[in-house]
Amino acid sequence: MAAPTSTEVTRIRVPPAAEHISTVRAFIGVVGRHFGCSEETVEDLRLAATETCAQALEEGTAPNGIEVRGSFEAGIFVLEIEPGARFVPSPTADPLDPTSGDRRRALVSALFPDVRVLTAEDGTPSLRLTASAEGAAAER
């Protein structure tokens, strides 16, 4: 397999429904491996995407679907989810509930400390995180 180029972007758009999160997970598995991520990193990416998509659906930020993009930039895999979740803390949420925005954001941040939740001019949130892709890329 040829090494990916820095301009290559792979994307998928899924409808705004929980049953399509498994499609996002499968997509990330294929794209993460294609761009050179280790199996452990691919699993972490899948978990981060699952939590982000689930939270976006819960918050209602994705009424028209969710787009997931993967790209390769200077040995780094970049994952973007748009619209993503705001991960706004809820004062009424049970702090032990693993599906709360606070817990989901903490999990994603623990897996990918460089995660950024960006907000477009229209208020739409998106998530951007990076992962090392050098391990498998060096084996090519």
Side-chain angles (χ1 to χ4, degrees):
M1 177 187 295
T5 66
S6 61
T7 58
E8 186 175 356
V9 177
T10 305
R11 66 185 76 227
I12 188 173
R13 179 174 274 288
V14 296
E19 59 267 21
H20 297 288
I21 293 175
S22 62
T23 303
V24 169
R25 289 178 58 81
F27 171 79
I28 289 172
V30 170
V31 173
R33 285 184 202 97
H34 171 74
F35 286 118
C37 295
S38 69
E39 285 302 312
E40 180 180 353
T41 299
V42 166
E43 287 307 310
D44 289 349
L45 289 163
R46 285 176 164 170
L47 181 55
T50 297
E51 296 302 323
T52 300
C53 291
Q55 188 67 28
L57 293 174
E58 189 171 303
E59 292 175 2
T61 60
N64 298 315
I66 298 171
E67 182 171 285
V68 179
R69 295 181 296 274
S71 61
F72 186 75
E73 299 174 9
I76 301 294
F77 176 70
V78 179
L79 178 68
E80 296 174 305
I81 300 173
E82 185 179 323
R86 289 187 176 92
F87 295 106
V88 176
S90 170
T92 60
D94 176 355
L96 300 178
D97 179 1
T99 65
S100 74
D102 295 341
R103 300 282 295 229
R104 284 179 168 150
R105 173 64 188 255
L107 174 61
V108 172
S109 295
L111 292 171
F112 299 97
D114 71 330
V115 67
R116 294 187 337 206
V117 177
L118 308 169
T119 305
E121 287 182 24
D122 68 357
T124 302
S126 64
L127 177 126
R128 185 179 198 275
L129 59 84
T130 61
S132 173
E134 294 179 27
E139 297 171 9
R140 294 175 200 250

